Amino acid sequence: MSMIVYKKQALQLFTGIGILVLSSCSHNDKKEPVLNTDTAIVVTVSTPLGDEQHGINISGQIEAAQSANISTRIMGYITMLKVKVGDHVSKGQLLATISNQDIQAKRAQTDAMIDEAQASLKSAQKDFDRFTALYNQQSATAKELDNVTLQYSAAKARLEGARQMRNEVNASLGYTSLTAPFSGIVTQKLADAGSMANPVMPILTIEQAGSYQVSATAPESIINQIKQGAEAIVTIKAIDKIIK
C-alpha cells in the first residue's frame, strides 16, 4: 500500500513539474517581441527647444521629384503605343497616337470654308473700292457706300472666323499625338493599342530619373513645430540607409 501511495505522489510531482514547464514556455512565448516587417520611410525633423533636441517622427515615401500622367484631351481609339514600362524616353518623343479621322475631316471642311470666305472677301473688297471711288466722284450715295462697307466688314469677319475654326481643329489634332513632356522613365502603362482613350483616363505615367524627394504627411497638431531649414533625417529601412 505504501508503494502505491509513493507512486501516486511521484506521478503528481512529475505532473506538477510538467505544468510549470509548460506555463513557463507559454509565458516566455508571450514575452517574445514581434518583429516589425514594415518598410515605411521614417523622417525625423529636429525641433530645438531650449538646450535639448527633440524630434518628430513621420512616416512617408520616396517618389520622383517630377512625374506626369500622359492622357489625351479627346476621345478616340489608341492606334499606336510605342513604349512599355521601364523604357527611357526623351523630351518630345512620340509615345502614342489616337485615331483622328474625324478631326482630319473637320480640318478639310474648315479649309473649304476659308477658301469660300477669301473669295467672298475679294469680291466685297472690289465693290468697296469701286463704290468708294464713285462716292468721291459724287456718283454714289452715302447709303450705297455704307451698305458696301458693311458687306466688306462682314466678309472679313467670316474669313477670320473660319481661320479661328481651323486653329481649333489643328489644336485638337495635336492632342492625338502624345509626346513626352520631359526625359524620364515609363513607370506605368495603363492602356494598350486598340483601347478607347478618354480625357479622364491616363494612358502612361512618366517619372523623371535621377531626381527624388521624400513626401511625408504631418498631423495638424505638430505643424507649428516644423520649421523651414530644420535638419531632417530620412531612415530607409528597405535598404538600411540613413540620409540627412
Side-chain angles (χ1 to χ4, degrees), residues 39-220:
T39 58
I41 307 301
V42 177
V43 181
T44 302
V45 181
S46 297
T47 56
L49 182 61
D51 295 332
E52 299 181 356
Q53 294 290 331
H54 299 269
I56 301 171
N57 291 331
I58 307 171
S59 296
Q61 62 182 3
I62 294 180
E63 60 187 19
Q66 186 176 12
S67 63
N69 291 326
I70 308 300
S71 61
T72 178
R73 292 182 61 179
I74 63 172
M75 182 175 292
Y77 288 101
I78 302 173
T79 56
M80 184 270 293
L81 193 55
K82 299 186 65 176
V83 295
K84 61 183 181 298
V85 174
D87 284 353
H88 291 259
V89 297
S90 302
K91 182 178 180 179
Q93 178 179 334
L94 181 63
L95 304 176
T97 56
I98 311 297
S99 58
N100 58 10
Q101 291 85 351
D102 54 340
I103 302 177
Q104 293 280 8
K106 289 181 179 179
R107 186 167 71 172
Q109 292 176 0
T110 56
D111 289 342
M113 293 173 60
I114 289 174
D115 292 339
E116 181 182 359
Q118 286 176 336
S120 298
L121 178 60
K122 187 176 181 179
S123 176
Q125 186 171 7
K126 287 181 178 179
D127 290 340
F128 174 75
D129 293 340
R130 182 165 58 88
F131 271 87
T132 300
L134 291 174
Y135 179 77
N136 292 334
Q137 297 172 5
Q138 297 183 351
S139 298
T141 64
K143 178 63 175 177
E144 291 174 330
L145 181 60
D146 289 343
N147 291 337
V148 171
T149 302
L150 182 61
Q151 293 174 4
Y152 177 57
S153 298
K156 289 196 294 184
R158 283 194 297 270
L159 177 59
E160 181 62 23
R163 287 174 174 169
Q164 293 300 327
M165 288 180 63
R166 184 173 62 180
N167 291 339
E168 181 180 358
V169 172
N170 287 338
S172 298
L173 192 61
Y175 300 139
T176 62
S177 297
L178 307 181
T179 59
F182 51 81
S183 298
I185 301 174
V186 178
T187 57
Q188 282 187 305
K189 181 182 177 183
L190 305 172
D192 295 304
S195 302
M196 176 65 73
N198 60 72
V200 298
M201 181 189 72
I203 299 174
L204 299 167
T205 299
I206 297 178
E207 294 184 357
Q208 191 177 45
S211 179
Y212 301 95
Q213 64 185 16
V214 176
S215 293
T217 302
E220 185 178 356

